[in-house]
Amino acid sequence: MRLSASFGAAMASTLAVCRLHMKGRGSLSKCLQKVDTFLHRTIGTNVVAVKEEREGCKSLYGVQAARQEQAERSVLVSCHARTNEKNFLKYLSRHGDINKYFFYESYGMYAVVEFANRESLASLLEEAAIPSISHESMVPFKSRLLSLRNLGSADAPNQRSGQQCQPQTTIPINELIQRLSREESIEQQITSLTDVYQLTEENSRLRFLVCSLLKDIAAAYFPECTINPFGSSVNGFGKLGCDLDMFLDVDGISGRNAKMPKSGLWLEYQMKRASSERAVTQSLLSVIGDCVDQFGPGCVGVQKILNARCPLVRFAHQPSGFQCDLTANNRVAMKSTELLYLYGELDPRVRHLVFTVRCWARAHGITSSIPGAWITNFSLTVMVLFFLQRGSPPIIPTLDHLRDLAGPGDKNVIEGNDCTFVSDFSKIQLLSNTETLEKLLCEFFEFYSTFAFNRMSISIRKGNEQNKPEVAPLHIQNPFETSLNVSKNVNATQLDRFVALCQESSWLLHQSDTNTPRGGNAEKAPTPWGLATLLMPSQVAGIKGRKKRRREPASERIKSLLESLKNTNQHKKS
Ligand code: GTP
Ligand code: MG
């Protein structure tokens, strides 16, 4: 968060800009207990228990509760590109202190503004005008997505606006390759890639704000619902520009956790019965999907995909630029998200390696944003985790071990599947493994270059290869629904491409003309090397291209890799 020089001390005294008020458990619940009545609707007050932070690791629930609460005090304002930052903040701060704000561009300029108090937000919304349109009709639905209008002369055309935009998308791959080529070690390249690609603080806030805006729509029917992001928006492995997976949670009113009084009289709601839980999910998503389509400002291209294994509503949220997937009754995916988040928090190498492998896979078309026979980011992440469990000593524990460490409060069974694992990070003892990221990356490629995919299944629950229970080319056991294969969609061609690319990348990392910095200066673009080379499809082009190049004497290990590659090719021909 940066302040312009012109935005001086005078404003600093009235606005608590740039300070992130992470409220403690007491004030958070106090704040959440207040029922806001703005927009003539109740804003949900679902309190998620903020779990203790231990040893510097915040539980996902803690992070989500704090982010949700911030989002509920925030507005999204479309403004003119020349909007004067100082005037804008002065205007808004008439309603109360602003905790944090930032500008970004997505089909126009937008600002996210977080107030210190909900009352300020209510006051601002009270004052906002209804747009007057003479020749069009509009849906009279008020939301926290607003437009800034200016009839005065405050923002003269030649006046500098002063605001700096926070990027919400990644830099192009060729720019990334140049940046990485300037680094001095592969280790630095890997950490630099994570720094450049990971979700920023602002992008994360925007994701929770979009969930909160959506929740306002769903709350018209289900005031107690929550809409939480899951998947890569919150699991620690999200890249700028990744989709926004959302989970509409009506568990508070589903009867699932209802407690019946032991005796005496009581009243209960009459509720319509449905044929199955899936049918409830489908009708709920169908109605909310229609509301999003008809009433949701900025929500376009709404598709209801209700017959999928996991029914969903897909749409684009234009003001944020997010591609959104709204699901309901998807609690196993929430648990997977929590598990991936936990693994990412245990050791920084986990996130770095996952980021690197995801980016490498995308650069070579191993993964894609279009559904198909390719490996998904989720499967790929599980493959990295499995590899890290196979080190000696292992860098991360198995899921079975995490389950054994669970306390009574961690017990969680979803539709018959045991999703229990420890939530108290301090109970997890890590073994001393000090391998560098460079070595781990090499070993990852070697590991999957020679993995017996034809016979073995990958299981992060057990942390070792299991016999494949079915004939699918790639078998990755679903961590919680253990009879399912998360990579059932992957065909033999895609798996072969993955293995061949692992072999090529491993080979390249052992070449001295690839694995050492290649110079370059401020004027001249640096020659790609190390990880940068691995991200260039033309460099990792297949065995034919490689044969033409001057080769270093191969080590025994690389010789055997090449041998295995040759055998695979012969096997395919026969
Ligand atoms: P990107 O969106 O590609 O950045 O990654 P993502 O992790 O968000 O993947 P995706 O949007 O495809 O899925 C969202 C979440 O749903 C994942 O993080 C998982 O928690 C869960 N998920 C996705 N695919 C599967 C699957 O095949 N099985 C299970 N159990 N969960 C899945
Ligand atoms: Mg996703």
Side-chain angles (χ1 to χ4, degrees):
M1 180 57 222
R2 275 160 283 195
L3 288 175
S4 71
S6 60
F7 185 63
M11 293 301 288
S13 59
T14 47
L15 304 176
V17 179
C18 287
R19 271 185 294 125
L20 205 59
H21 290 274
M22 290 292 185
K23 290 173 186 293
R25 184 199 293 252
S27 53
L28 175 67
S29 14
K30 208 168 108 200
C31 191
L32 286 169
Q33 277 158 16
K34 293 178 187 164
V35 179
D36 281 314
T37 50
F38 70 84
L39 304 180
H40 313 292
R41 281 175 292 115
T42 309
I43 296 301
T45 54
N46 199 327
V47 182
V48 181
V50 180
K51 295 194 178 172
E52 303 274 313
E53 287 167 28
R54 292 181 182 90
E55 294 192 346
C57 290
K58 267 187 198 166
S59 77
L60 185 57
Y61 289 114
V63 173
Q64 285 197 316
R67 286 264 186 244
Q68 254 175 23
E69 202 272 328
Q70 279 170 354
E72 289 183 1
R73 285 184 278 108
S74 303
V75 278
L76 183 52
V77 185
S78 155
C79 24
H80 195 274
R82 280 198 306 270
T83 300
N84 183 284
E85 181 176 353
K86 188 176 161 185
N87 293 344
F88 174 65
L89 292 170
K90 195 169 161 192
Y91 174 70
L92 293 189
S93 63
R94 291 180 302 117
H95 298 283
D97 284 353
I98 292 171
N99 266 1
K100 163 114 185 164
Y101 70 89
F102 62 90
F103 291 91
Y104 69 91
E105 276 185 272
S106 165
Y107 304 101
M109 175 83 75
Y110 286 88
V112 171
V113 181
E114 179 202 314
F115 284 93
N117 300 299
R118 286 168 179 235
E119 291 73 18
S120 312
L121 184 68
S123 149
L124 176 138
L125 292 168
E126 187 79 16
E127 194 190 83
I130 308 287
S132 68
I133 295 176
S134 52
H135 54 278
E136 274 179 55
S137 306
M138 51 189 183
V139 180
F141 178 76
K142 291 172 166 180
S143 79
R144 281 177 287 141
L145 172 60
L146 304 162
S147 298
L148 181 71
R149 304 283 179 220
N150 185 2
L151 294 174
S153 57
D155 297 354
N158 57 356
Q159 194 173 350
R160 266 200 75 237
S161 56
Q163 78 273 29
Q164 270 173 317
C165 285
Q166 298 296 328
Q168 305 300 323
T169 50
T170 51
I171 58 170
I173 185 91
N174 44 350
E175 223 174 283
L176 175 75
I177 286 172
Q178 284 203 14
R179 190 184 285 222
L180 298 185
S181 303
R182 288 198 186 90
E183 298 291 351
E184 284 167 5
S185 65
I186 292 182
E187 188 90 8
Q188 279 173 13
Q189 290 184 325
I190 294 175
T191 51
S192 175
L193 181 137
T194 314
D195 288 347
V196 173
Y197 268 20
Q198 70 191 344
L199 299 186
T200 58
E201 157 76 19
E202 287 78 16
N203 192 268
S204 207
R205 281 170 176 268
L206 189 54
R207 284 170 189 270
F208 276 87
L209 178 51
V210 172
C211 287
S212 174
L213 297 178
L214 254 269
K215 183 224 154 134
D216 286 352
I217 297 176
Y221 284 100
F222 307 105
E224 289 102 334
C225 78
T226 54
I227 293 192
N228 275 311
F230 70 98
S232 59
S233 294
V234 283
N235 65 17
F237 304 125
K239 185 175 115 180
L240 278 173
C242 67
D243 67 355
L244 172 57
D245 302 296
M246 292 180 277
F247 172 52
L248 168 67
D249 189 351
V250 287
D251 265 10
I253 36 174
S254 68
R256 191 171 287 113
N257 304 318
K259 288 199 176 77
M260 290 295 141
K262 292 217 171 70
S263 59
L265 299 176
W266 78 90
L267 286 172
E268 65 178 25
Y269 291 100
Q270 283 202 15
M271 289 184 172
K272 198 157 188 146
R273 300 201 181 258
S275 56
S276 66
E277 202 158 324
R278 181 174 166 85
V280 176
T281 302
Q282 285 169 325
S283 64
L284 215 128
L285 282 176
S286 179
V287 172
I288 303 300
D290 283 342
C291 291
V292 171
D293 193 19
Q294 311 282 329
F295 309 148
C299 300
V300 297
V302 179
Q303 283 173 275
K304 295 196 274 180
I305 308 169
L306 303 178
N307 288 324
R309 187 176 87 86
C310 179
L312 68 121
V313 175
R314 178 164 288 171
F315 59 95
H317 185 257
Q318 256 181 356
S320 61
F322 295 143
Q323 180 67 38
C324 302
D325 279 351
L326 177 66
T327 58
N329 190 23
N330 196 7
R331 286 170 298 137
V332 176
M334 283 303 290
K335 277 318 262 188
S336 313
T337 302
E338 201 186 324
L339 180 70
L340 262 47
Y341 173 86
L342 181 147
Y343 276 128
E345 289 290 295
L346 286 183
D347 186 305
R349 289 173 295 179
V350 178
R351 284 189 66 230
H352 290 310
L353 201 64
V354 170
F355 257 94
T356 305
V357 172
R358 277 186 175 214
C359 187
W360 164 86
R362 191 59 195 263
H364 295 289
I366 297 273
T367 54
S368 165
S369 56
I370 309 159
W374 6 93
I375 300 176
T376 62
N377 268 333
F378 180 63
S379 297
L380 200 59
T381 307
V382 176
M383 289 172 93
V384 177
L385 297 177
F386 180 72
F387 158 72
L388 293 171
Q389 290 175 334
R390 303 293 291 138
S392 47
I395 292 183
I396 49 171
T398 65
L399 178 52
D400 271 352
H401 182 68
L402 295 177
R403 184 206 49 210
D404 295 344
L405 294 176
D410 296 326
K411 189 151 181 58
N412 195 318
V413 177
I414 301 172
E415 290 155 23
N417 299 300
D418 187 5
C419 300
T420 306
F421 61 91
V422 64
S423 61
D424 180 351
F425 289 63
S426 70
K427 284 191 189 163
I428 306 168
Q429 300 290 318
L430 297 178
L431 301 170
S432 165
N433 176 317
T434 54
E435 278 197 18
T436 63
L437 279 168
E438 177 176 350
K439 187 129 193 292
L440 287 173
L441 184 63
C442 282
E443 286 174 356
F444 171 86
F445 291 133
E446 282 168 22
F447 183 79
Y448 284 114
S449 291
T450 49
F451 189 84
F453 287 109
N454 55 339
R455 287 184 295 114
M456 302 314 242
S457 159
I458 289 164
S459 161
I460 58 165
R461 178 161 281 285
K462 300 275 170 230
N464 55 31
E465 291 94 353
Q466 305 284 304
N467 285 327
K468 234 170 91 154
E470 56 183 72
V471 286
L474 176 60
H475 194 279
I476 303 175
Q477 189 191 49
N478 186 321
F480 297 117
E481 294 160 292
T482 51
S483 61
L484 301 180
N485 173 13
V486 300
S487 54
K488 209 169 94 184
N489 61 314
V490 177
N491 64 20
T493 313
Q494 291 304 321
L495 178 63
D496 287 349
R497 283 193 62 231
F498 171 76
V499 173
L501 280 161
C502 283
Q503 289 168 340
E504 294 288 312
S505 300
S506 163
W507 186 85
L508 276 169
L509 279 178
H510 285 89
Q511 303 304 298
S512 66
D513 59 352
T514 313
N515 68 14
T516 43
R518 307 275 287 280
N521 51 44
E523 292 100 57
K524 210 173 127 234
T527 312
W529 73 279
L531 177 57
T533 315
L534 295 195
L535 300 180
M536 296 167 72
S538 59
Q539 294 293 308
V540 193
I543 196 153
K544 279 190 200 134
R546 194 175 65 199
K547 271 182 180 162
K548 286 182 198 140
R549 293 214 309 267
R550 187 178 62 80
R551 272 206 221 148
E552 292 290 310
S555 69
E556 278 312 306
R557 194 167 44 180
I558 299 309
K559 270 188 199 152
S560 72
L561 270 176
L562 288 171
E563 206 51 46
S564 81
L565 183 61
K566 210 167 84 193
N567 289 341
T568 318
N569 287 341
Q570 273 167 1
H571 175 70
K572 265 190 238 155
K573 276 179 208 148
S574 61

